[in-house]
Amino acid sequence: MIHYHGTPLTPRDQLYKMAGKHFCVSFAHPSDANVCLQIGQSIMWDNGAFSAFTKGKQFDINKYYRWLEDKLGHPHWAVIPDVIDGTEQQQKELLVTWPFHLCLGAPVWHMGMRLEYLQFLCDRYPRVCFGSSGKYWDVGSDFWCSRVDHAFNTIVKNNYIPQIHMLRGLAQAGKRWPFASADSVNVARNFKDRKQCPEKMASKIDSVQCPVKWTQQPTQKVLKF
């Protein structure tokens, strides 16, 4: 599992202590982008759509794509634009705007959307993000866990699970789900209050891994939606 540590992380000298880590840099907060490219193993570029949504701002998709032009290339990848609380049709309309290779972008399956749409994405993309929104906002709750069980039970029917990235999900490392990667702003937000070195805090998080395989959960234990 790859652990992406969110930015911005200040002051700058503390960010440099994180050299060699994997980073998540949001289009909504891009100040650390160049430094992360210099010192990071890899970067996931977040589209910042949720930040724009919560602040009532318009997401500028063309500006986002211009911003990505000199930042995309293996091992770096980006979250394809999505509509918070949008319909499947709205999500699909944004998918076709993606101007880069599919291997460099990951669509978002919002957990309140149909499992059929999740399968649609998994059949077409090598990496898919899970987004906790709406009634599934509380990551790690019993309700949330049951939905993720149901999602993996659905995906595994094809005997293949693409790389699943859990947005805001680093706290789920070490549990039963085979996430390929996850991100969190835990270190950036909390290392000062906890009076910890950010690198040491991140290394402790990085040491917890997810299982490689999915053990299908009994359907009778899955909540009905």
Side-chain angles (χ1 to χ4, degrees):
M1 178 185 183
I2 297 177
H3 303 67
Y4 290 98
H5 298 285
T7 60
L9 192 154
T10 58
R12 184 55 55 85
D13 66 315
Q14 297 300 307
L15 176 60
Y16 277 109
K17 291 180 179 180
M18 296 278 283
K21 298 297 183 184
H22 301 270
F23 295 102
C24 171
V25 179
S26 174
F27 177 54
H29 303 284
S31 58
D32 289 341
N34 290 335
V35 173
C36 289
L37 277 171
Q38 294 169 2
I39 69 173
Q41 283 197 60
S42 70
I43 302 170
M44 64 162 286
W45 306 104
D46 184 18
N47 62 38
F50 182 75
S51 294
F53 175 78
T54 56
K55 295 177 181 178
K57 295 182 178 180
Q58 187 71 27
F59 175 70
D60 190 332
I61 190 171
N62 292 322
K63 188 175 180 180
Y64 176 57
Y65 288 155
R66 290 194 298 271
W67 182 71
L68 288 175
E69 284 179 354
D70 62 350
K71 298 175 176 63
L72 275 183
H74 294 309
H76 315 306
W77 58 276
V79 180
I80 296 175
D82 58 311
V83 181
I84 308 300
D85 292 335
T87 65
E88 289 183 19
Q89 184 58 37
Q90 288 175 308
Q91 312 296 350
K92 288 180 178 179
E93 288 172 358
L94 284 178
L95 293 180
V96 299
T97 70
W98 182 248
F100 309 104
H101 197 285
L102 293 186
C103 68
L104 297 176
V108 179
W109 175 67
H110 296 278
M111 291 171 59
M113 303 183 77
R114 295 184 311 133
L115 291 167
E116 288 80 2
Y117 182 62
L118 169 61
Q119 193 64 65
F120 168 85
L121 296 175
C122 291
D123 289 343
R124 289 162 176 77
Y125 292 87
R127 180 186 283 112
V128 175
C129 300
F130 282 13
S132 304
S133 58
K135 59 186 177 182
Y136 305 106
W137 176 255
D138 186 10
V139 178
S141 67
D142 290 344
F143 199 51
W144 183 94
C145 291
S146 182
R147 184 60 167 172
V148 179
D149 285 347
H150 206 171
F152 274 106
N153 282 349
T154 298
I155 298 171
V156 80
K157 290 177 181 178
N158 285 357
N159 297 315
Y160 166 75
I161 298 178
Q163 296 182 64
I164 301 297
H165 176 86
M166 188 65 240
L167 296 167
R168 300 191 298 118
L170 275 183
Q172 304 311 307
K175 299 184 180 178
R176 60 182 176 270
W177 304 288
F179 294 121
S181 58
D183 67 274
S184 171
V185 293
N186 183 8
V187 173
R189 287 184 176 176
N190 297 315
F191 80 94
K192 294 177 186 176
D193 292 340
R194 298 180 184 178
K195 297 181 180 180
Q196 294 185 16
C197 168
E199 190 279 330
K200 290 183 179 179
M201 187 175 174
S203 292
K204 185 176 181 179
I205 294 171
D206 292 351
S207 68
V208 182
Q209 292 295 322
C210 288
V212 175
K213 300 291 185 179
W214 169 241
T215 301
Q216 188 160 339
Q217 298 299 300
T219 54
Q220 63 267 27
K221 292 185 179 181
V222 176
L223 295 178
K224 301 300 181 181
F225 301 94

